């Protein structure tokens, strides 16, 4: 991993994601451009090999017999291209956070490099990993909505409604609004590209022309914080896209509607367990992650119907709390307060009191029973 | 891990959950009562130590210097108690799937054993691991809804609406409706206990008496598939609980409402990123996982506002697909079809085309631009 | 109309409802037991004939050649029976607010009287007038959900969470919690009967036995403010019903779920334009008022799809504001402030500016146009 | 009323709306350009005075001592202007359906005429009559969302997704897609103007420039069936508007979002009882029609909280069914099948059986009671 040291946001997300399906092990990293922070972060994560510099990491790992299979690049945008080139030169596959680069020319060079070197170059447009986003794409490809006529996509946030990049407390805001680190596209590059990608992913279409309007609402901000565009597609379809980081009240509202000649689709990443499919003139069908039977959704599904995306995290919480309590018990200290809500054998006993009372009441024709507790 | 071999459902969930926060490593298991299946399952998972018998596992692991810290018990219900006792006797902490046991007496013995041996005994009532379920509990404890007056909890599924336990194809249905394996409580033990636990967890109250009605709708089924109960609490509160596995249309609809003297709360595990809080006579507030600031919710939160529970799984999907493509590339074979929707450098390049077109259009006053593609 | 004088709630609702479809004209009334208020209320409504006493009204109207066709009874509950008998004796049809009477004996006598006199006796269980409640009933009757297994109905309000009946300011609360006027059933009679009726209406089933729990949460209140019951049906179906006027946060939450062997239905009177229909194991279908094609729903539908119940009221608001402005204009006085939001010709002109700008921009290839205003 | 004869849609809506609040009585009309249909329609409605020609109606009514106070114009668009001029010349106030006219010049002449003649000219932009649309406007005016930054409005339908104007069966589609009757703006004039008006109404802002794109998706259609535009406002705000009659799956989806510097608002006319208000960085508040306390909403509210817009129509349905049954009873014929779902005294009796059983069960400690029925 390059980037993702202490205080970073997306690095930790990448690490959990990499671990979740047991396909990856994190063994090496150049976690920060600051050598001390890189070292401390690596220790905190129990990393086998820590580097102060990503160039060194690329060459050393590329040369090792047991070198890394792939590098995850989670730096600010301006480093994506140089880091990726360095690792590809070392024959290492790349998993890179979005946006790919800070200019089209940079991006094209990366694509050519990956192609020439026959390396996999994955770009983490997260939202296309949702089972129902994939199902939506599959429905479109299967002709289930007819020919696409209208694409409406939007991505609204409100965390930059005020000049939070000033003062230094918000490091995320600082680099994401600094053109030297984020590139010339602010909101456009940060979330506009997600909106664009999701629309293209699901509709299986890319626009052929556009008219766009970038705007900076917060005085003094050096990049755009709002962008809106109208789109024209080669097949005659029309579309609109807007993305904003000053849309007061919005959390992370990435929403897509695609209307075809025979049906429409709607997906909202804030409710990723649901996909709406509505035939022209007909009733809306609420497709759910667990019940759709398409291959693409199945491929990306881990838990059964009704267990929403997120169920695994709830489950993991219990494992985390149990670990905390066990460590504390072994160490003979008090369990940390955060773990106090772990359900234990005592909850189980009370649940069995309930079961026994129900069995008794029901057996007696539904009469009232008291639930005896010591 | 005891249980959870090939074909089991909850074992895989436990394994992902254990891995997600990097607190646990799975090293040993007695994954099946069938020795061949236990061995095959252990190999598939790359387990360091596989046992044919959980008794042997308990004694060997208890004696090893590097023996396991805790055992995860994911067997059918009737084995929970004997397995847990065996591992506790070996001085090993327990993480056990619910329901705790098949009778109150069994459960009380487990609780006593854990207490006497000073061992942690976690019971995986998953739904109390959701950040917003914990936040709800915290709101109740903080007096934010006043004194609790009404508790309404329900858990509706429909997967047993027909006699799917017959014929042998559905192993889950078979053991869960077999009193010898599941205990005398069918629907009651399987999901009624979850409803009971969540209500107790959030309301911080347990009922003192009840009148209940168990019912078996599907002819020939040997356990209840529907249960309903009225509840009375010591403080005068009233409540109702129902759980059903024949509620046609329901997926996994665990829903809780708690009404206090000054406000009400509603939580639906199928939309776990939302908690409704409504003051008496006032407007509903839609609390979201990322925006609530309570300590309990923060403790159980991994991603920022608007990134729903589930975001990590979408992210993990990209890592899984990338691994598949890299393995294929290394092996010189075609990438598996399931991974074809991985976003790659080419998506990034097209996204940069979009960015450059937007920059150009906007700079020219919002005029139309074509998006050049090779 | 008997009852419904100034300050009453349900009387005004009856009057609007009677007028809406142009089937009724209100010509006579005994609007209050207080003669002065009766007179003043009648004058305010422009009533042709006002009576101080409902007994007199019944006999006079019954004797007139042009006497009323039907009487609307909107008094407190304890008067329903005597008033209805008086008018039926005069040969006049009855439209009576619910609950029918304050005891079963009273109710049976009314039913017998209506039967013997061959008079129509309508009881205004409003919620069965919703197009989608009727459609739900039709679906059940048509076997679309199979045989009914589970009925879950609830009616939650919070307006009596505090002792608002004290002090005299809240006349509604005062009489509805006074057993002498409301009968022995408080919450049970006021809204529990609505829940019961809607469940029976849609499921086409009535329970054959029940176990119930009434409760009074607010100290000093003379009737129940919460009721909960378990239900058994002759066909083996099971059900639950609860109604509460102290469920903090609830407005008027009458909700019904009916689960059959092959599908489930859900209806929420707070979103009366939607009916959920979900097949066992399948995806939820969001049936909407305008798009369902059943005869029962069509019979009760006035506006096209997507125009929700309520559209007519929005429309009526414009007519009301226009009347206010015209009266003011004729009188040479300022229009009342409430009517200031009426849309007028000036809104129309600005809308045409928009249209012309769109036409011009689009004709010029989507270029920007300014919208000229004087 | 001019227009609105048999087979028309919006005329009936106007008549109900006019009647609902008892402010208007319909006494005269030129209901159709076809004399026979005008006559038949007038008879069906029991109109006092029917005219074959609206010019005649204007002059005669203008001259009568008891002539109409106002005319409701519900013709196709191209007649709005000439009819309105004629009635204004006769000194009669105007209530006109939207769009105002088929060109800006026509519209400006109407505005001047109304101003010069000191007549009220109401334009029925229905959606601004919703209590919560008015409340939204009031919140904006009160500064509750800060300064407006972003306006997003859309109006999606799907009823013209196919060429239903052909063949003559669909008269609505025929005239609305005929430029000679509807004017040069199809979708733009029919619903785009509603979207534009609602955005202006709530935001209290009109855009100063736009870039727009009209499109006709259905081959052979003579007017646009889709329009999209980007908007710029004088205060720097940005916005987008789209309207489509080919958005498969959409019923009548008029939705508005307005984001200010401190909060955002969202209103969906398909759920008109709810208005979402979300502070920047905060939790969404679900404002409901009955609970908001602003003067504008109160002015437009007829029923209490939780009784949705639409409640009155459900109520009216019972009155309509009762009328049908009484007419049938008087005539000695069978009641029409549509009225069979009217709730009657028998429903009331069964409800009382329920009440008595609850009273008995509860009094006996919640034991089971059978519900005796004859």
């Amino acid at each position: 991993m390059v980037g993702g040291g202490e205080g970073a946001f997306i690095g930790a997300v990448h690490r959990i994601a990499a671990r979740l399906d047991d396909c990856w092990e994190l063994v090496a990293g150049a976690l920060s451009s600051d050598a001390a922070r890189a070292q401390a972060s690596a220790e905190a994560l129990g990393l086998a090999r820590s580097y102060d510099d990503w160039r060194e990491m690329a060459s050393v790992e590329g040369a090792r017999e047991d070198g890394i299979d792939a590098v995850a690049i989670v730096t600010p945008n301006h480093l994506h291209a140089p880091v990726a080139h360095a690792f590809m030169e070392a024959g290492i596959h790349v998993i890179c956070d979005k946006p790919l680069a800070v200019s089209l020319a940079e991006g094209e060079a990366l694509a050519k490099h990956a192609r020439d070197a026959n390396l996999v170059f994955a770009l983490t447009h997260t939202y296309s990993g949702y089972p129902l986003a994939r199902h939506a794409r599959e429905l479109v490809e299967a002709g289930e909505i007819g020919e696409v006529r209208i694409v409406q996509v939007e991505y609204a946030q409100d965390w930059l409604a005020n000049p939070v990049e000033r003062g230094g407390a918000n490091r995320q805001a600082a680099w994401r609004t600094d053109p030297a680190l984020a590139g010339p596209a602010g909101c456009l590059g940060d979330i506009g590209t997600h909106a664009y990608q999701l629309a293209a992913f699901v509709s299986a279409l890319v626009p052929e022309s556009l008219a766009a309007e970038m705007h900076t609402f917060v005085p003094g901000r050096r990049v755009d914080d709002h962008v809106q565009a109208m789109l024209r597609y080669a097949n005659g379809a029309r579309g609109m896209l807007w993305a904003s980081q000053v849309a007061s009240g919005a959390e992370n509202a990435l929403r897509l509607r695609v209307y075809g000649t025979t049906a429409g689709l709607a997906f909202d990443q804030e409710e990723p367990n649901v996909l709406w499919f509505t035939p022209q003139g007909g009733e809306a069908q609420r497709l759910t992650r667990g019940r759709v039977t398409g291959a693409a959704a199945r491929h990306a599904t881990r838990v059964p119907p009704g267990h929403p995306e997120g169920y695994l995290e709830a489950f993991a919480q219990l494992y985390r709390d149990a670990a905390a309590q066990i460590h504390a018990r072994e160490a003979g200290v008090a369990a940390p307060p955060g773990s106090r809500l772990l359900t234990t054998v005592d909850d189980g006993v009370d649940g069995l009191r309930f079961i026994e009372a129900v069995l008794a009441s029901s057996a007696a024709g539904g009469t009232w029973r008291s639930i005896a507790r010591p």
Side-chain angles (χ1 to χ4, degrees), chain A residues 48-68:
Chain A
R49 304 189 291 276
S50 172
Y51 300 87
D52 291 352
D53 185 85
W54 49 265
R55 288 172 204 82
E56 184 201 353
M57 176 176 166
S59 59
V60 173
E61 291 291 328
R64 286 178 72 109
E65 193 64 24
D66 64 344
I68 57 174

Side-chain angles (χ1 to χ4, degrees), chain A residues 241-321:
Chain A
L241 175 153
W242 67 277
S244 184
Q245 292 176 315
V246 301
S248 289
E251 292 192 11
N252 201 41
L254 172 57
R255 290 177 195 156
L256 173 67
R257 273 103 32 106
V258 181
Y259 302 95
T261 45
T262 60
L265 286 172
F267 178 73
D268 174 354
Q269 90 84 21
E270 291 187 330
E271 297 192 33
N273 296 288
V274 173
L275 173 68
W276 292 93
F277 174 86
T278 312
Q280 192 270 329
E283 301 292 352
Q285 295 171 37
R286 188 178 178 275
L287 310 184
T288 56
R289 184 193 50 71
R291 291 202 165 172
V292 298
T293 54
R298 287 266 165 235
H299 170 71
T301 290
R302 294 164 187 83
V303 283
H307 297 77
E309 301 281 302
Y311 174 85
L312 291 173
E313 285 142 80
F315 221 116
Q317 190 56 37
L318 303 186
Y319 267 86
R320 186 159 76 176
D321 289 345

Side-chain angles (χ1 to χ4, degrees), chain A residues 21-257:
Chain A
D21 287 318
D22 215 12
C23 305
W24 296 97
E25 195 180 350
L26 183 63
V27 293
L31 300 180
S32 173
S33 51
D34 176 291
R37 187 188 290 159
Q39 210 55 47
S41 302
E43 270 166 43
L45 295 170
L47 228 58
R49 304 189 291 276
S50 172
Y51 300 87
D52 291 352
D53 185 85
W54 49 265
R55 288 172 204 82
E56 184 201 353
M57 176 176 166
S59 59
V60 173
E61 291 291 328
R64 286 178 72 109
E65 193 64 24
D66 64 344
I68 57 174
D69 294 314
V71 64
I73 304 176
V74 296
T75 63
N77 307 345
H78 70 303
L79 288 176
H80 289 181
V83 173
H85 281 302
F87 281 83
M88 287 196 286
E89 266 154 41
I92 294 167
H93 300 284
V94 173
I95 298 173
C96 183
D97 208 68
K98 50 50 57 188
L100 176 59
V102 295
S103 76
L104 178 55
E106 260 192 18
E108 286 175 334
L110 287 170
K112 181 172 187 315
H113 194 161
R115 207 161 46 238
D116 292 349
N118 193 29
L119 290 167
V120 171
F121 193 119
L123 188 74
T124 52
H125 272 302
T126 324
Y127 306 111
S128 56
Y130 282 120
L132 289 180
R134 293 183 170 208
H135 189 62
R137 156 70 170 262
E138 203 169 60
L139 290 174
V140 172
E141 286 184 326
E144 296 288 339
I145 68 166
E147 189 176 7
V148 172
R149 281 178 166 170
I150 306 168
V151 175
Q152 293 284 346
V153 67
E154 63 190 54
Y155 197 152
Q157 300 178 332
D158 74 356
W159 68 294
L160 292 178
N162 296 310
V164 291
E165 63 265 42
R166 294 185 207 153
N170 190 327
R171 285 176 55 196
Q172 288 293 322
W175 82 255
R176 286 175 197 268
T177 58
D178 180 347
L181 303 180
C187 172
L188 171 61
D190 198 20
I191 62 174
T193 47
H194 271 312
Y196 175 81
Q197 190 274 333
L198 186 66
F201 181 79
V202 170
S203 70
L205 290 179
V206 285
E208 63 172 9
S209 65
L210 59 75
E213 174 91 335
M214 297 168 75
H215 196 69
T216 303
F217 278 106
V218 173
R221 179 161 290 158
R222 289 177 293 164
V223 294
D224 56 293
D225 49 26
H226 178 85
V227 58
Q228 54 192 34
M230 296 199 290
L231 311 172
R232 291 178 184 149
Y233 291 84
N235 75 338
R238 290 297 183 271
M240 295 177 100
L241 175 153
W242 67 277
S244 184
Q245 292 176 315
V246 301
S248 289
E251 292 192 11
N252 201 41
L254 172 57
R255 290 177 195 156
L256 173 67
R257 273 103 32 106

